[in-house]
Amino acid sequence: MDPIYLMIVAVVAIALLLFLVMKLKWPAYLALLAIAVLTALVGGIPVQEVIPTVIAGMGGTLGSVALLVGLGAMLGGIVEKTGGAELIATKAANVLGKKRLGPALLIASAVVAIPIFFDVAFIILVPIIFSFAKAAGHRSPIYLGAPVAVLMVFIHNAVPPHPGIVGSTTLLNPDVMGLVTILGLLLAVPMAFVVWFVNKRLEPKGGWEMSPEVAEKYEHAGAADFDEIEKHHGEVGDAHGHTVTKVAKDPTVTHITKPSAGTVIALILLPILMIAVGTVGKLIVEPETPVANVLAFVGAPGFALLVACILAMYILGMRHGWGRQDMSDIMDSALAPAAIVVFVTGAGGVFARVLTESGIGDAVSGMLISAGVPIILLAFLLALIFKVAQGSGTVATLTAAGLVQSTVMSGGFSEFQVALVILAIAMGSVSLSHINDSGFWIATKFLGLSVGGGLKTWTLMCTIVGFLGMAIITVVWFLTAALV
């Protein structure tokens, strides 16, 4: 078909998608499927092939996404319910000292954000943010909470097993999932320093103005007493360091103890270590040998998360008084919110498949590349445009990946370069987050920021880390190209 016609189809399809989601408030899952079918019909796919294309797109995406997001949600659910977030935060504070509560909380939040979705992870940490901020003598929790929120959403967008980055990796090259994980984590390190130092310079002279509700909560929040927490190391503590006793549903269990923070951290980092072993092993071991095959199996993200889930179930749960039924309920309940994300990601995969099969992706990316736009910049800009327009990082990521899929797959790029393209998409999906993004409202409402305050903190810092991350990726891209 004529590339100009296909470009028009793409523009109309995306406009309709935004209209359905933003104005008519259709669920993203339904809107993506409806627009995918309509796009397939007007994009030249034979009518008898439309539904098979939909099924192929859904199945091809869900293979990796359902596996990784489901297991990641289960691991996150166990860490959440067994008090892992508080344990990690308290341990970091005790190691770094009371004068470094902010950096301690930032480090702890980064670890917690790896297996747990942003919205859940941040809400878990809110009482701890209040408690630490009070202990540090800050006038508001925003001083500690804003950089924590931005770093956590950065990790959510850039590090598997979170849905957007898993979905785009599945579309562009599932074999680089481990590499994307390692590179995403490496990229998060400088971003932690950036959000911390930028946030310190954003606070107005008179302090941030908080909403009355949050101001009252903060006024009555208890400051963390780390000496008292250390004294009760073997017991369960709430966000303020008070000892509590939980009763499991199993009638034979009357008291639940807490694991050590080191154990929780080790179980979160275990799958990352396994993935790193497989990724590095692929580079140094002769391919198709028994050793290479074993390393590939051990380092497969799905297997790594499966091992971590099983170990967490016993080590964090049953060994510390949680009943078998309790653990089953915790892990099952973690799948409920994940299921929505998985279905939306699958529908995004359908739309991406239609864009590829109809030739729309080739037409759009080919026209822009022929105009001199490098693929790495194109991937970033497409994700950024969709993010600004409709708010969802997952939808932005998958749509951008679908538009560049054909170009990436036929471009002869190395696995490392494909991983950089995927991360460029992630940087676009985290930038310029504003009032149409649920993350904006979660961060601002729980911290008591006004809309203006949210734009000056959350939006600004998300944009800084997204653009700075993209700058780093671009430098690495051109250095790699020069070496090759």
Side-chain angles (χ1 to χ4, degrees), residues 28 353 366 408 451:
R353 181 70 175 240
V408 170
V451 172

Side-chain angles (χ1 to χ4, degrees), residues 34-160:
I35 294 301
V37 170
L38 182 61
T39 304
L41 290 172
V42 300
I45 294 178
V47 66
Q48 70 274 14
E49 295 296 326
V50 171
I51 297 304
T53 301
V54 169
I55 294 172
M58 181 70 74
T61 305
L62 288 186
S64 293
V65 172
L67 176 66
L68 298 184
V69 173
L71 290 171
M74 283 185 164
L75 178 59
I78 296 172
V79 172
E80 172 197 349
K81 298 299 182 182
T82 56
E86 180 194 345
L87 288 165
I88 295 170
T90 303
K91 183 63 176 179
N94 282 321
V95 170
L96 294 179
K98 296 179 183 179
K99 293 183 179 180
R100 300 183 181 88
L101 293 182
L105 187 57
L106 202 61
I107 293 170
S109 67
V111 176
V112 171
I114 294 170
I116 307 179
F117 290 174
F118 164 74
D119 50 354
V120 176
F122 183 70
I123 292 169
I124 292 169
L125 286 177
V126 166
I128 304 172
I129 291 169
F130 278 43
S131 185
F132 278 29
K134 249 319 179 44
H138 296 303
R139 286 173 292 186
S140 85
I142 299 167
Y143 189 86
L144 298 186
V148 163
V150 173
L151 180 61
M152 292 179 85
V153 83
F154 180 89
I155 291 173
H156 182 94
N157 280 270
V159 180

Side-chain angles (χ1 to χ4, degrees), residues 12-39 351 389-390 395:
V12 172
I14 292 166
L16 284 175
L17 176 62
L18 297 176
F19 177 75
L20 292 178
V21 173
M22 297 171 63
K23 295 297 183 183
L24 300 187
K25 304 301 180 185
W26 280 32
Y29 177 68
L30 184 63
L32 282 164
L33 287 178
I35 294 301
V37 170
L38 182 61
T39 304
F351 189 40
Q390 51 78 49
V395 173

Side-chain angles (χ1 to χ4, degrees), residues 342-398:
V342 167
F343 276 113
V344 171
T345 307
V350 172
F351 189 40
R353 181 70 175 240
V354 168
L355 292 173
T356 301
E357 294 294 327
S358 63
I360 291 174
D362 277 339
V364 173
S365 59
M367 187 171 293
L368 291 172
I369 288 175
S370 64
V373 181
I375 184 65
I376 194 78
L377 180 59
L378 173 62
F380 171 77
L381 291 175
L382 288 172
L384 179 64
I385 290 167
F386 294 124
K387 173 67 174 184
V388 172
Q390 51 78 49
S392 169
T394 301
V395 173
T397 298
L398 294 168

Side-chain angles (χ1 to χ4, degrees), residues 223-246:
D225 184 344
F226 299 104
D227 294 331
E228 190 66 19
I229 291 172
E230 283 294 293
K231 230 184 282 181
H232 296 285
H233 181 68
E235 299 170 336
V236 178
D238 66 9
H240 310 306
H242 302 141
T243 301
V244 297
T245 299
K246 297 182 181 179

